[in-house]
Amino acid sequence: MGRIFIAGQAKELGEDIRVSTFRDPGGWSFYDRMDPFGTRVHTDADGVTTEHVGTRRAPGFTPALGGAGWEAGDPEGRDPMRALRQVVHAVVIHHDACASAADCFRVLLERGYSTHFMIDGDGRVFQAADVADETIHCSGMNGVAVGIDMNNLAPNFVLDPPAESAGRGRSREMEINGTRYQSFTYTEAQYKSLIALLDVLCTELVFERACPVDETGKPLDCILDTEPKEFRGIMGHLHASAEKWDPGPGFDWLRVIAELKHEDSGLPALPAGLAGHLGDPADKAAFAEDPARAVAAAFKNEESARRVCDAVCRAVETSDHGGYYPVGLSQTWHGGVHFVVPRGTPVKPLLKGELVAAHLVPASAFPGAAGEDPPGSNNFVLLRHRIRLPARGGAIGDGGGEGEVAGSGAGSGSGAGSGTGQRVAENVLTVFSLYMHLDGVDLAKPPEGIQLLDRLKGHESRGDSPGRAPEGPTLECLPVGGGYNQVRAMQAGYVGLFSHPQKQAPIVVTPKDVLGFAGEFGDARGDRRVVHVEVFGDDRIFEAMELGLYGRYLQLGPDEPEADDLVVRSWSVLSLFTEDARPKSSLVPTGKVATEEDIREFLAGDSQDVETLRRLIVRHVSEWSDKVSWVSTLLATQDAAGAGWAERLRGDQAWWVFREEVMRLLPFVWLTKDVADHVDLRWNDGLVWTFHPVYFLLWWNFRRSAVRGKTIEAILADLEGRKDLSVTAGVPDVLADLLSMPGPGEWQT
């Protein structure tokens, strides 16, 4: 079984991946000797010496070569990966422009450069330095990145006659950093090994499984507009230097990223009727054979994923069970969508996340369970997702703020470019996904097949059971750190609070894990069940997200912070449903404008128009918040038959008229300031920004790494002193000269 070394720890790549490392007898190594570790030294023609490998600088300590000493960087001295993650956050992929990986290693030694990994044409992986040590492969990135050299002769057929190479095809012609290129592709064996290697690196070092993409979602074909060392993820040398083009036009970025991401996200469930909305014959055939596998395969490509997700949305929007985004049938804001599914359907997370709050009780404890017409399940799971995004607008600070250390390169030579000790500001988007109306669960006798309950077993084994039952009518929680066992609190009927960063170990779930089963709500009963899925955040989403890049899936919509009811008053939204909406003032009058018939007819219509609603990010008071005025909501949303109620009712008369309906709604209220403070949601009297969960999933998969690349004019401006470069003439010849200056290979820094 092939294994690599990260901070001295062996990590398996897989049984069928052949690996040779610097620790193996006869293995290629940029270290001079193995025990203790030293480094090879390169001496150039002027007598200047450079070490091939250096130690990365980490906060508060300097580790030793060979990956040793990283445990000292962890506050508890147990997890060297934890320390390394503070320094390394990117991978740079190169082509070696050599006949073989052996030739690549030899040329690197001759020139005083180095890399961590080399992948030969037959897929064999060679590791010549521990990932925890710094190699010299990419100027400005050495201190924060892992270098991978892919074997490929990399001729440019635009300049030279086509050549032959066993097992390789010819790429399409494309422009990279202002110059046209056509070259060789990479072998299937190389892709298999690279994806396995990247998977381990992304998992262990928490890299983003994303490459730079432009506004259209295509892999970026030019240098990054922001500082390259700020990028978190997988990039090519071309993204760090205007003079580079590797890994070249023959590298399939979309394939690599899709293979890495396809198990990191998924639909929570497949709604009933989905097959009937699939228009593509290939999609229909694959879905008929194995629905789950067909959807997973579709997410390996943006266009097929978009087709399937459009069918999912149509199945939701044409359902008779309501739950539409962002407007419900009563002309009230609805922050999520309802997936109507068969009984027994498991519900899974959209993304990997931390469990931060949950309410899980038996069905016998649901509100009104003993009544004639119980509203249904108020069981829910709330996950928190911290999503790293590309830095916005030059986020390098002076070291005084929060963030992760970019690293610096002792022994990295003049080309390291990362020895400043500056901090790179971390750009993290925090959002939450909610799964409401889950089926009843008896935590004392939990059903099998729910991985979330397995995570809860033994969690917080210490702590007392609550001394009293919740008083209601809204859901309550007990403080973390107050001596209560949160699992036992859930058994008693409280909202359980989990994954507090200082007081609790995180409970992490992935899209492979089952959170529960779809439950009952409204008229979704019997063999039909429902789950409400919602994605939301606070004002900080705009500090992290570059919305100008995400218009295909996400756009800023209405902001209604004034109202404490859920009535939709936005004329821009209501005008989509009915011509009767008129902007008589800054707010549409509270009388009902869009009827249930209007809303259903619109949602059943042209999907191009409905898509406008799916893209909207809207702010309003959350329907789960204790700040909603339910009496005002019910009063304002009465149809024409109820006109005049507001004038006739005074004082608490409205409460008594609507008391029964309000009492049916209050047991679903869980979002209080105490819960918000615990989960790290900025409290703003219940106001949240909501996303369509399916379109958020598409954005996460295919747009979240979008960055603005530099224009050719900016690229030329970066190449200071090169008077022979111009926008309109001579660029290919000049770059050919640049490539030929150091001889064969692509490692000049």
Side-chain angles (χ1 to χ4, degrees):
M1 181 177 287
R3 88 278 190 252
I4 63 172
F5 289 93
I6 306 177
Q9 298 183 358
K11 304 294 178 181
E12 304 297 337
L13 290 192
E15 295 182 357
D16 52 351
I17 305 296
R18 295 183 299 160
V19 182
S20 174
T21 77
F22 59 94
R23 289 181 178 265
D24 297 328
W28 303 344
S29 173
F30 290 115
Y31 303 108
D32 187 35
R33 55 189 184 277
M34 300 301 293
D35 189 20
F37 280 89
T39 58
R40 294 177 181 267
V41 177
H42 172 76
T43 304
D44 65 16
D46 298 324
V48 178
T49 61
T50 305
E51 294 177 332
H52 285 270
V53 183
T55 53
R56 301 188 193 271
R57 295 192 182 276
F61 78 104
T62 301
L65 289 172
W70 281 90
E71 64 278 359
D74 177 66
E76 299 175 351
R78 296 182 308 212
D79 185 4
M81 295 296 170
R82 186 173 175 181
L84 192 55
R85 289 174 195 137
Q86 299 181 64
V87 180
V88 181
H89 56 74
V91 171
V92 180
I93 298 177
H94 310 259
H95 55 225
D96 62 13
C98 291
S100 66
D103 190 29
C104 171
F105 180 66
R106 176 187 60 78
V107 173
L108 288 173
L109 285 177
E110 289 177 354
R111 297 185 182 171
Y113 301 130
S114 55
T115 191
H116 293 97
F117 299 97
M118 291 156 279
I119 301 180
D120 218 339
D122 62 0
R124 186 167 180 178
V125 178
F126 297 89
Q127 183 181 10
D130 193 297
V131 170
D133 292 327
E134 182 176 330
T135 59
I136 309 174
H137 60 95
C138 180
S139 178
M141 295 295 298
N142 293 324
V144 300
V146 178
I148 300 177
D149 279 75
M150 302 283 288
N151 176 240
N152 192 317
L153 280 171
N156 184 4
F157 298 148
V158 174
L159 300 175
D160 302 311
E164 299 296 330
S165 184
R168 299 182 190 270
R170 192 185 307 176
S171 75
R172 64 189 177 95
E173 183 177 327
M174 64 177 292
E175 183 175 294
I176 302 175
N177 276 332
T179 300
R180 303 296 298 180
Y181 292 97
Q182 184 184 40
S183 192
F184 286 130
T185 59
Y186 291 82
T187 67
E188 287 297 311
Q190 284 181 303
Y191 281 120
K192 181 178 180 180
S193 296
L194 175 66
I195 290 166
L197 174 59
L198 290 174
D199 184 54
V200 170
L201 293 173
C202 290
T203 300
E204 297 296 336
L205 297 175
V206 198
F207 291 147
E208 278 297 304
R209 298 169 185 254
C211 69
V213 298
D214 63 18
E215 293 93 329
T216 69
K218 295 180 180 179
L220 195 68
D221 57 10
C222 59
I223 188 172
L224 299 178
D225 194 26
T226 57
E227 283 289 333
K229 67 178 179 181
E230 295 175 12
F231 186 77
R232 295 178 177 272
I234 303 162
M235 61 193 297
H237 205 166
L238 74 98
H239 298 124
S241 172
E243 300 177 35
K244 299 297 180 180
W245 59 288
D246 44 334
F251 188 78
D252 192 341
W253 283 104
L254 292 178
R255 170 183 177 175
V256 171
I257 299 302
E259 289 285 347
L260 289 172
K261 290 196 304 187
H262 79 276
E263 293 185 351
D264 277 0
S265 64
L267 292 166
L270 301 182
L274 171 58
H277 293 282
L278 292 170
D280 188 277
D283 294 338
K284 284 179 176 288
F287 191 85
E289 182 175 343
D290 188 329
R293 180 175 295 180
V295 172
F299 267 87
K300 293 184 179 182
N301 174 273
E302 183 177 7
E303 289 309 309
S304 59
R306 186 178 170 89
R307 290 197 307 270
V308 168
C309 285
D310 180 70
V312 168
C313 291
R314 299 303 291 159
V316 168
E317 291 155 358
T318 56
S319 167
D320 292 331
H321 298 279
Y324 312 126
Y325 180 90
V327 180
L329 292 177
S330 299
Q331 194 189 303
T332 53
W333 290 114
H334 189 253
V337 298
H338 287 179
F339 286 80
V340 179
V341 295
R343 177 194 290 269
T345 296
V347 178
K348 299 181 179 182
L350 287 160
L351 307 171
K352 180 180 179 181
E354 298 174 313
L355 172 69
V356 287
H359 182 256
L360 299 172
V361 298
S364 59
F366 289 163
E372 294 182 0
D373 185 23
S377 167
N378 62 350
N379 274 357
F380 73 88
V381 166
L382 181 69
L383 303 182
R384 178 176 60 212
H385 310 278
R386 300 189 189 275
I387 302 170
R388 287 192 174 96
L389 298 180
R392 297 187 63 183
I396 294 185
D398 57 5
E402 294 182 354
E404 293 187 355
V405 173
S408 60
S412 61
S414 60
S418 55
T420 63
Q422 291 177 313
R423 286 181 177 271
V424 175
E426 191 177 36
N427 188 26
V428 177
L429 169 69
T430 299
V431 294
F432 303 85
S433 62
L434 172 68
Y435 310 85
M436 175 61 97
H437 310 315
L438 298 177
D439 207 1
V441 174
D442 184 352
L443 293 176
K445 299 177 181 179
E448 295 182 358
I450 301 180
Q451 283 76 26
L452 176 64
L453 301 186
D454 295 335
R455 305 282 197 281
L456 289 171
K457 289 179 181 177
H459 182 76
E460 290 193 84
S461 58
R462 295 176 297 177
D464 299 328
S465 297
R468 62 173 178 85
E471 297 178 355
T474 61
L475 295 177
E476 301 177 38
C477 65
L478 296 171
V480 172
Y484 300 106
N485 182 301
Q486 293 292 323
V487 175
R488 294 176 186 172
M490 274 203 303
Q491 288 179 285
Y494 291 89
V495 172
L497 303 178
F498 304 97
S499 302
H500 189 286
Q502 282 81 45
K503 301 175 182 178
Q504 297 168 308
I507 298 178
V508 178
V509 291
T510 73
K512 296 181 180 180
D513 298 323
V514 175
L515 302 176
F517 297 99
E520 296 184 344
F521 182 73
D523 58 354
R525 300 183 182 279
D527 291 333
R528 282 285 187 242
R529 297 297 180 92
V530 67
V531 59
H532 169 104
V533 182
E534 180 174 335
V535 176
F536 63 91
D538 56 35
D539 290 343
R540 288 173 293 181
I541 65 174
F542 300 107
E543 299 171 11
M545 300 183 75
E546 188 83 36
L547 286 179
L549 299 177
Y550 308 143
R552 188 174 189 185
Y553 299 125
L554 301 177
Q555 291 183 352
L556 185 61
D559 179 3
E560 295 200 351
E562 297 89 355
D564 61 356
D565 57 41
L566 289 169
V567 180
V568 178
R569 294 177 172 83
S570 169
W571 173 77
S572 62
V573 171
L574 292 175
S575 62
L576 294 173
F577 296 101
T578 174
E579 295 180 356
D580 293 335
R582 294 290 184 269
K584 297 178 180 179
S585 64
S586 60
L587 294 178
V588 173
T590 57
K592 194 166 180 70
V593 174
T595 66
E596 178 177 329
E597 182 180 354
D598 291 332
I599 295 172
R600 287 191 184 277
E601 183 179 350
F602 173 77
L603 292 175
D606 187 352
S607 61
Q608 291 297 108
D609 294 331
V610 176
E611 195 176 327
T612 301
L613 289 179
R614 299 177 196 161
R615 290 196 297 263
L616 295 182
I617 309 171
V618 296
R619 185 168 78 153
H620 51 78
V621 64
S622 170
E623 63 192 284
W624 318 110
S625 167
D626 62 353
K627 294 300 182 180
V628 174
S629 173
W630 285 109
V631 172
S632 298
T633 301
L634 294 169
L635 191 62
T637 57
Q638 297 305 303
D639 59 14
W645 280 57
E647 290 75 17
R648 295 201 305 267
L649 299 177
R650 296 291 182 269
D652 60 358
Q653 291 177 341
W655 160 252
W656 288 109
V657 171
F658 296 109
R659 181 180 184 280
E660 183 177 347
E661 185 63 27
V662 171
M663 293 303 292
R664 287 164 52 87
L665 295 168
L666 291 181
F668 294 85
V669 172
W670 56 268
L671 182 54
T672 64
K673 186 177 186 305
D674 288 340
V675 173
D677 289 345
H678 170 81
V679 305
D680 189 28
L681 174 72
R682 183 179 290 170
W683 183 247
N684 191 8
D685 288 333
L687 291 171
V688 296
W689 290 95
T690 61
F691 303 80
H692 191 296
V694 177
Y695 268 47
F696 184 86
L697 188 65
L698 282 168
W699 166 80
W700 187 90
N701 274 278
F702 302 110
R703 285 295 188 276
R704 80 181 192 277
S705 61
V707 295
R708 289 191 171 93
K710 291 188 176 180
T711 64
I712 183 62
E713 290 81 6
I715 291 172
L716 297 178
D718 287 340
L719 299 176
E720 297 179 2
R722 300 293 304 184
K723 303 297 185 181
D724 49 348
L725 289 179
S726 69
V727 176
T728 58
V731 174
D733 294 335
V734 170
L735 289 184
D737 292 339
L738 289 173
L739 292 173
S740 66
M741 282 193 295
E746 278 293 315
W747 310 278
Q748 63 270 31
T749 60

